[in-house]
């Protein structure tokens, strides 16, 4: 019987959350023989090409990196790697059946929800936006249909005043744990995959640019849920004087100072909504740096009694 570190594993993943899990599992002792990630992309005004987060980790540990433009057409390198298993988290492309068929132990995915709830591209953000109190990671079988494979294990996480950034950190720990606790049993055929109940399936649609504009017709709870679901990246915004004002953190207060959409700037920034007021704790005006609400209020008192839209 093989030891866990004797199995050859290819990791597929791209963003920061995947990179953190990848590094945790490297340090746990898993034998990664390759990384498949999305292509590097230009960053900033100068368009400087920067490596994706998982690539930085792979290079740190001298793990070969592959970045096919389209994995559906470019996967021949996998045969030379001879993986026993492919482990995926937030890769960013649909993985074709031809790739799923390469490793003898198949392909596993770390999905950022408690399936069958929130299949799709943005399960973490949508859980916060919808006001859920719990979410988690599902270790699941990859098949040639989006997030529809059998479920092998789950790790639950509490959503407690989290935004997207802080919840990602919790899910990194959950994803690491669910692999550490279950991968050996998976290799030894001791995990019984549970078929998802299609009647309970919901979807977490991708966050589009149009989703980033905050609706001042929301009540306070809805508004804050959207703020948290979009923070700190990409950041939800409103318009004031034709400039975007990103609202990155906010909390509800008991007062009700004005009409819906009205700003009141005294020692802090207060935005009135249909059922009450919220204090804007962290904001970022277009073209400026992120700052706390009190600092913004001190420098922008002329915005008092103006309306956002």
């Amino acid at each position: 019987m093989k030891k866990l570190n004797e199995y050859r594993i290819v990791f597929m993943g791209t963003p920061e959350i995947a990179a953190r899990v990848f590094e945790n599992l490297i340090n746990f002792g898993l034998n990664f023989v390759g990384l498949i990630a999305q292509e590097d992309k230009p960053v900033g005004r100068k368009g400087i090409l920067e490596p994706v987060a998982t690539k930085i980790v792979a290079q740190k540990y001298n793990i070969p990196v592959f970045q096919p433009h389209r994995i559906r057409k470019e996967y021949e390198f996998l045969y030379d790697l001879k993986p026993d298993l492919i482990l995926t988290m937030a890769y960013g492309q649909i993985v074709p059946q031809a790739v799923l068929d390469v490793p003898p132990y198949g392909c596993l995915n770390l999905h950022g929800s408690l399936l069958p709830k929130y299949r799709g591209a943005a399960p973490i953000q949508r859980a916060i936006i919808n006001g859920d109190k719990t979410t988690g990671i599902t270790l699941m079988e990859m098949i040639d249909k989006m997030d529809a494979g059998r479920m092998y294990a789950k790790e639950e996480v509490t959503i407690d005043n989290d935004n997207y950034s802080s919840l990602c950190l919790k899910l990194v720990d959950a994803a690491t744990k669910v692999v550490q606790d279950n991968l050996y049993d998976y290799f030894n055929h001791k995990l019984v995959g549970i078929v998802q109940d299609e009647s309970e399936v919901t979807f977490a649609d991708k966050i589009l640019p149009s989703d980033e504009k905050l609706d001042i017709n929301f009540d306070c709870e809805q508004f804050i849920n959207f703020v948290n679901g979009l923070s700190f990246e990409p950041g939800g915004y409103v318009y004031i004087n034709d400039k975007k004002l990103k609202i990155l953190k906010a909390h509800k207060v008991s007062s009700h100072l004005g009409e819906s959409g009205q700003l009141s700037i005294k020692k802090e920034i207060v935005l009135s909504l249909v059922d009450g007021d919220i204090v804007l704790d962290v904001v970022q005006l277009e073209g400026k740096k992120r700052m706390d609400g009190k600092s913004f209020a001190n420098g922008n008192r002329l915005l008092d009694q103006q309306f956002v839209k």
Side-chain angles (χ1 to χ4, degrees):
M1 187 175 292
K2 279 186 178 182
K3 295 179 181 179
L4 187 56
N5 63 5
E6 293 177 331
Y7 290 96
R8 298 172 60 84
I9 303 173
V10 168
F11 191 85
M12 295 182 75
T14 302
E16 182 66 28
I17 186 173
R20 288 174 180 266
V21 174
F22 185 32
E23 185 159 27
N24 285 349
L25 295 176
I26 292 169
N27 291 326
F28 177 62
L30 296 186
N31 176 28
F32 289 105
V33 297
L35 166 72
I36 303 174
Q38 293 270 56
E39 294 171 300
D40 300 336
K41 292 186 178 179
V43 175
R45 294 178 180 178
K46 294 184 179 180
I48 297 173
L49 204 63
E50 292 188 1
V52 296
T54 48
K55 181 178 181 178
I56 294 171
V57 173
Q59 291 176 331
K60 178 180 175 181
Y61 294 94
N62 297 313
I63 295 170
V65 177
F66 304 89
Q67 296 175 279
H69 180 63
R70 288 285 180 267
I71 190 68
R72 282 191 173 275
K73 296 181 178 180
E74 305 168 53
Y75 55 84
E76 293 81 4
F77 60 87
L78 270 172
Y79 297 113
D80 293 329
L81 293 176
K82 299 177 181 176
D84 294 304
L85 174 78
I86 294 174
L87 179 63
T88 302
M89 185 175 192
Y91 170 52
Q93 293 187 37
I94 295 174
V95 181
Q97 190 63 48
V99 170
L100 301 179
D101 290 340
V102 171
Y105 287 88
C107 303
L108 293 178
N109 183 43
L110 290 160
H111 184 74
S113 78
L114 300 175
L115 290 170
K117 192 173 186 179
Y118 296 138
R119 292 181 186 175
I124 305 171
Q125 296 96 322
R126 295 295 178 187
I128 299 171
I129 287 169
N130 292 339
D132 292 3
K133 301 303 179 187
T134 57
T135 186
I137 293 287
T138 302
L139 181 67
M140 59 169 295
E141 170 194 31
M142 290 183 69
I143 62 174
D144 197 11
K145 181 181 177 183
M146 186 178 64
D147 303 325
R150 290 175 293 175
M151 304 175 293
Y152 290 106
K154 295 181 182 181
E155 189 70 26
E156 189 170 297
V157 168
T158 300
I159 303 174
D160 183 19
N161 296 318
D162 285 292
N163 64 12
Y164 172 64
S165 296
S166 66
L167 187 55
C168 279
L169 293 178
K170 289 183 177 181
L171 290 171
V172 165
D173 291 340
T176 302
K177 186 176 187 301
V178 81
V179 173
Q180 292 173 341
D181 290 351
N182 294 282
L183 192 58
Y184 186 75
D185 284 346
Y186 174 80
F187 278 127
N188 288 282
H189 308 290
K190 293 181 180 179
L191 289 186
V192 179
I194 299 172
V195 176
Q196 295 185 45
D197 185 341
E198 292 292 327
S199 69
E200 296 181 1
V201 169
T202 62
F203 291 94
D205 294 335
K206 181 180 179 180
I207 300 295
L208 301 173
S210 57
D211 294 318
E212 296 168 26
K213 187 176 186 303
L214 300 167
D215 190 341
I216 59 170
N217 295 309
F218 283 154
D219 62 34
C220 292
E221 182 178 359
Q222 289 175 301
F223 194 94
I224 291 171
N225 285 344
F226 262 89
V227 166
N228 289 339
L230 297 171
S231 292
F232 288 105
E233 294 292 339
Y237 66 88
V238 293
Y239 280 109
I240 184 163
N241 294 338
D242 297 322
K243 285 191 173 182
K244 288 182 180 180
L245 177 67
K246 286 189 177 183
I247 302 173
L248 301 172
K249 185 179 180 182
H251 71 274
K252 186 177 180 180
V253 290
S254 57
S255 63
H256 201 177
L257 299 178
E259 300 175 47
S260 182
Q262 187 173 9
L263 285 178
S264 301
I265 298 183
K266 307 299 180 189
K267 292 183 179 179
E268 54 194 4
I269 322 168
V270 177
L271 175 63
S272 295
L273 296 172
V274 291
D275 69 332
D277 292 341
I278 62 172
V279 172
L280 309 188
D281 300 306
V282 181
V283 296
Q284 184 175 8
L285 189 63
E286 187 175 338
K288 303 292 184 180
K289 293 182 179 180
R290 183 190 306 177
M291 63 177 64
D292 66 87
K294 289 184 178 180
S295 298
F296 183 86
N298 288 335
N300 292 275
R301 296 194 180 278
L302 292 177
L303 297 181
D304 184 39
Q305 304 306 309
Q306 293 197 40
F307 285 83
V308 303
K309 59 182 180 178

